[in-house]
């Protein structure tokens, strides 16, 4: 299957090591390293930890749903095109455009954050033109993506190794600093007992951080998108999605726990007076311990992580444009690919969206970053809810056609009860964002005047929440019913759903190699977690 051109020009050049490392940490970047500080500052240590745990549970079952269908149908566009197979073409039309919007906005968010990371090294009042940093990153992204998916996979592989090693180092450092072995002060859980902790701001504050946590986890579903360019989806996709549980438990939960133990939620270095991000909170931990060299190293790794996450964002955005073109939902020329299997026109369009970051920086990188996080986090919630819905619908179609779960090349564990739980969590998170957008509007009478910094910050926060909560759903509903009205699409009969076109069939094993040895039971069990 090496270098086989399939699905309109894409090449299956991603190996198992690429798929697993992309799944493990391909999208760990701005979300975890930058927004985690605001989460702790807003909801307190326990509030932040619970937010990451609850959204993490939801995400585990979302990835299992992706694994089950993407293993069998590794289509370009992944889960965004499943709706046209099992529910309604209009559903896939809206989902693909909404998902492209997500990544078209995420790239500027990541790039604007890069200027914040670099500002750590700049002296106060520096006149250094920070727009140069994202401009150089954009050039690097274009080069990597034009060289083909194999180059993208290699870049993410090495970026991911660096991030994995760094997070392990951070957790070890967190243990040493928290215990007092480094830094000369034993923190323990004292920062969980200060004013505002462990829950800060009450239940509303807890609900308000769910969207930013969703942004931090965003991109975990990337395994479904890369399946179309995997050399062996039957083997690679399950291994990739089964790393999600370990990634959430180890990388996110432990990192947030030690961050919340060492950095108090009222630390002025976490947020500006207007609620925008100042520094990467992970860097603050090293500063807190008096490890200036370690802080510089951590900040450098965070910068490379932002580049890595931007690279993943760029890749997904181009593949969504390719899917739109090939399905007739965008002009055909948008899906033009070169001999390397690169959608060159899609790369050009995505580059144009990336350049928006250069303009946005003049409005203030921190301000722009917060606005984008609100929108992107809500789009991610919408996407995850749609994925779970499509998985339920897929199983309904599978059963209606007289097929059994045992016939699936990979079965998601926890189905159906885990998926019911995930859908309940997802629905509650979406409703919570709607609720907060309505009830958190600040009253001018509670402040000294319209120019009161606290009033301005509260008003901006409310506006961000309002836009983020409602814009994705307005976009999705408008696209769905608009396309349905224009094209006259019908809801698909489950018994007639196409579950076979594009199905990946592995090449037969060479008889000369002998029979494949059975996998030990303990390895099968372990593979569900690692």
């Amino acid at each position: 299957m090496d270098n086989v051109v399939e699905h309109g020009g894409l090449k299956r050049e991603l190996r198992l090591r690429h798929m697993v490392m992309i799944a493990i940490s391909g999208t760990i970047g701005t979300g975890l390293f930058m927004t985690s500080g605001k989460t702790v500052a807003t909801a307190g240590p326990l509030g932040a930890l619970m937010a990451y745990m609850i959204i993490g549970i939801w995400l585990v079952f979302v990835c299992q749903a992706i694994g089950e269908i993407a293993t069998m149908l590794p289509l370009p566009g992944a889960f965004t095109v499943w709706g046209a197979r099992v529910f309604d073409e209009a559903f896939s039309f809206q989902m693909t455009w909404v998902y492209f919007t997500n990544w078209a906005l995420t790239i500027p968010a990541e790039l604007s954050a890069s200027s914040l990371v670099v500002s750590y090294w700049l002296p106060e009042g520096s006149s250094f033109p920070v727009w140069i940093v994202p401009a150089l990153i954009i050039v690097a992204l274009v080069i990597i993506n034009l060289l083909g998916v194999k180059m993208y996979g290699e870049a993410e592989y090495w970026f991911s190794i660096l991030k994995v090693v760094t997070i392990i180092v951070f957790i070890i450092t967190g243990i040493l600093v928290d215990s007092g072995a480094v830094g000369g002060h034993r923190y323990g859980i004292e920062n969980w007992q200060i004013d505002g902790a462990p829950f800060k701001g009450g239940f509303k504050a807890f609900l308000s951080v769910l969207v930013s946590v969703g942004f931090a986890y965003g991109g975990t579903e990337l395994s479904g998108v890369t399946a179309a360019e995997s050399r062996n989806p039957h083997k690679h996709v399950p291994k990739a999605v089964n790393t999600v549980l370990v990634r959430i438990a180890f990388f996110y939960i432990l990192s947030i726990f030690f961050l919340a133990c060492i950095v108090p939620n009222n630390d002025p270095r976490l947020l500006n007076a207007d609620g925008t991000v100042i520094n990467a909170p992970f860097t603050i931990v090293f500063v807190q311990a008096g490890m200036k060299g370690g802080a510089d190293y951590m900040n450098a790794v965070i910068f490379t992580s932002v580049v890595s996450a931007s690279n993943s964002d760029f890749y997904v955005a181009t593949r969504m444009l390719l899917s739109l073109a090939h399905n007739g939902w965008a002009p055909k020329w948008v899906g033009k690919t070169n001999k390397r299997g690169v959608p060159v026109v899609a790369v050009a369009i995505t580059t144009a969206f990336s350049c928006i970051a250069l303009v946005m920086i003049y409005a203030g990188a921190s301000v722009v970053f917060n606005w984008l996080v609100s929108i992107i986090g809500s789009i991610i919630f919408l996407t995850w809810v749609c994925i779970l819905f499509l998985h339920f619908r897929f199983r309904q179609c599978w059963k209606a056609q007289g097929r059994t779960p045992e016939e699936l090349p990979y079965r998601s564990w926890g189905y159906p009860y885990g998926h019911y739980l995930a859908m309940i969590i997802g629905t509650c998170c979406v409703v919570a964002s709607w609720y907060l957008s309505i009830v958190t509007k600040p009253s001018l009478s509670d402040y000294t005047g319209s120019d009161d910094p606290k009033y301005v910050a509260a008003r901006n926060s409310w506006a961000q929440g309002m836009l983020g909560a409602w814009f994705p759903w307005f976009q999705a509903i408008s696209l769905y019913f608009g396309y349905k009205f224009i094209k006259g699409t019908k809801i698909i009969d489950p018994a007639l759903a196409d579950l076979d076109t594009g199905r990946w069939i592995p090449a037969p094993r060479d008889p000369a190699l002998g029979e494949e040895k059975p996998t030990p039971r303990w390895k099968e069990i372990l593979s569900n977690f690692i």
Side-chain angles (χ1 to χ4, degrees):
M1 295 294 293
D2 287 4
N3 299 331
V4 174
V5 179
E6 298 183 1
H7 301 310
L10 292 182
K11 292 189 175 183
R12 294 192 180 278
E13 292 190 320
L14 290 179
R15 297 177 178 272
L16 176 59
R17 62 186 179 90
H18 297 143
M19 294 285 290
V20 171
M21 292 307 292
I22 289 171
I24 289 177
S25 64
T27 53
I28 291 178
T30 305
L32 177 62
F33 290 134
M34 297 298 289
T35 64
S36 54
K38 183 176 182 179
T39 303
V40 173
T42 303
L46 186 56
L49 192 64
M50 286 187 61
Y52 273 90
M53 291 177 68
I54 290 173
I55 302 298
I57 292 171
W58 176 15
L59 182 56
V60 165
F61 293 105
V62 168
C63 288
Q64 284 297 307
I66 291 172
E68 180 171 293
I69 305 180
T71 299
M72 189 181 77
L73 293 172
L75 305 173
F79 39 81
T80 64
V81 301
W82 295 343
R85 297 291 191 92
V86 300
F87 182 58
D88 187 349
E89 183 184 348
F91 194 87
S92 281
F93 173 79
Q94 68 82 14
M95 194 173 177
T96 309
W97 272 111
V98 169
Y99 199 58
F100 168 72
T101 302
N102 174 74
W103 296 108
L105 295 177
T106 302
I107 298 171
E110 301 278 8
L111 294 175
S112 64
S114 69
S115 62
L116 295 175
V117 176
V118 171
S119 66
Y120 171 80
W121 289 300
L122 299 178
E124 189 173 350
S126 172
S127 60
F128 177 79
V130 292
W131 62 266
I132 291 179
V133 177
L136 292 175
I137 294 176
I138 291 172
V139 172
L141 296 181
V142 172
I143 293 173
I144 290 173
N145 282 271
L146 284 178
L147 291 176
V149 69
K150 188 174 182 180
M151 181 60 185
Y152 160 74
E154 284 297 327
E156 282 306 297
Y157 177 77
W158 293 106
F159 275 136
S160 296
I161 288 178
L162 177 62
K163 285 187 284 187
V164 168
V165 171
T166 299
I167 290 181
I168 293 173
V169 170
F170 173 80
I171 291 173
I172 294 173
T173 302
I175 294 172
L176 296 175
V177 173
D178 190 52
S179 65
V182 173
H185 178 79
R186 185 181 183 277
Y187 290 93
I189 58 171
E190 66 178 31
N191 286 326
W192 293 54
Q193 300 168 339
I194 63 175
D195 184 37
F199 281 104
K200 184 179 180 180
F203 188 60
K204 285 185 181 179
F206 167 72
L207 294 178
S208 70
V209 302
L210 293 176
V211 170
S212 62
V213 172
F215 173 77
Y217 278 130
T220 308
E221 68 282 353
L222 190 59
S223 302
V225 179
T226 56
E229 294 173 89
S230 165
R231 293 191 176 196
N232 188 341
H234 278 202
K235 180 180 180 181
H236 298 174
V237 175
K239 285 186 177 294
V241 298
N242 283 329
T243 64
V244 172
L245 182 60
V246 169
R247 183 184 356 166
I248 290 173
F250 189 79
F251 293 158
Y252 287 88
I253 304 302
L254 279 181
S255 295
I256 295 299
F257 174 76
F258 287 112
L259 174 65
C261 284
I262 298 168
V263 183
N265 63 77
N266 57 4
D267 192 314
R269 292 171 295 181
L270 292 176
L271 298 176
N272 276 318
D274 61 356
T276 56
V277 178
I278 305 176
N279 295 309
F282 281 58
T283 303
I284 297 175
V285 170
F286 287 89
V287 175
Q288 196 90 335
M291 302 167 63
K292 184 64 172 65
D296 288 331
Y297 167 76
M298 190 70 206
N299 210 57
V301 171
I302 292 174
F303 178 77
T304 62
S305 299
V306 170
V307 176
S308 169
S310 300
N311 190 34
S312 292
D313 303 341
F314 201 99
Y315 166 81
V316 180
T318 60
R319 270 44 181 186
M320 289 302 106
L321 285 173
L322 179 70
S323 176
L324 287 165
H326 284 180
N327 286 287
W329 304 328
K332 288 292 183 183
W333 52 266
V334 173
K336 178 179 174 56
T337 58
N338 62 15
K339 62 182 181 180
R340 292 190 180 93
V342 177
V344 289
V345 177
V347 168
I349 295 173
T350 305
T351 302
F353 274 98
S354 303
C355 291
I356 294 175
L358 305 182
V359 179
M360 288 180 168
I361 285 175
Y362 285 97
S366 294
V367 175
V368 171
F369 180 71
N370 276 2
W371 279 88
L372 291 177
V373 166
S374 296
I375 299 173
I376 295 164
S378 293
I379 293 178
I380 290 168
F381 282 2
L382 167 61
T383 301
W384 292 350
V385 168
C386 288
I387 290 171
L388 287 172
F389 167 73
L390 290 176
H391 185 234
F392 284 122
R393 180 71 178 178
F394 169 79
R395 280 296 188 106
Q396 181 185 6
C397 295
W398 192 260
K399 183 178 180 180
Q401 296 180 12
R403 311 189 196 199
T404 64
E406 288 72 24
E407 296 177 63
L408 293 166
Y410 174 75
R411 281 187 292 166
S412 61
W413 47 265
Y415 183 87
Y417 301 109
H419 294 66
Y420 289 148
L421 173 62
M423 185 62 88
I424 291 172
I425 293 174
T427 303
C428 289
C429 288
V430 171
V431 172
S433 68
W434 291 345
Y435 167 75
L436 287 175
S437 72
I438 296 172
V439 303
T440 56
K441 184 177 181 179
S443 174
L444 186 58
S445 60
D446 295 334
Y447 301 89
T448 59
S450 59
D451 57 349
D452 185 339
K454 292 184 178 180
Y455 172 73
V456 173
R459 184 189 61 194
N460 289 342
S461 178
W462 170 76
Q464 292 165 12
M466 177 66 76
L467 180 63
W470 295 101
F471 169 74
W473 293 91
F474 175 78
Q475 181 191 18
I477 292 172
S478 299
L479 289 171
Y480 175 74
F481 285 104
Y483 190 85
K484 193 171 184 65
F485 175 77
I486 294 172
K487 296 291 186 179
T489 61
K490 305 289 185 181
I491 293 179
I492 296 170
D493 182 347
L496 301 177
D498 181 5
L499 303 179
D500 295 301
T501 303
R503 186 169 178 175
W504 192 81
I505 306 298
R509 182 177 172 83
D510 187 348
L513 298 176
E515 293 188 7
E516 191 171 1
K517 294 182 179 180
T519 303
R521 180 60 180 166
W522 67 270
K523 282 190 176 181
E524 290 184 0
I525 297 174
L526 192 62
S527 67
N528 288 325
F529 302 96
I530 302 178

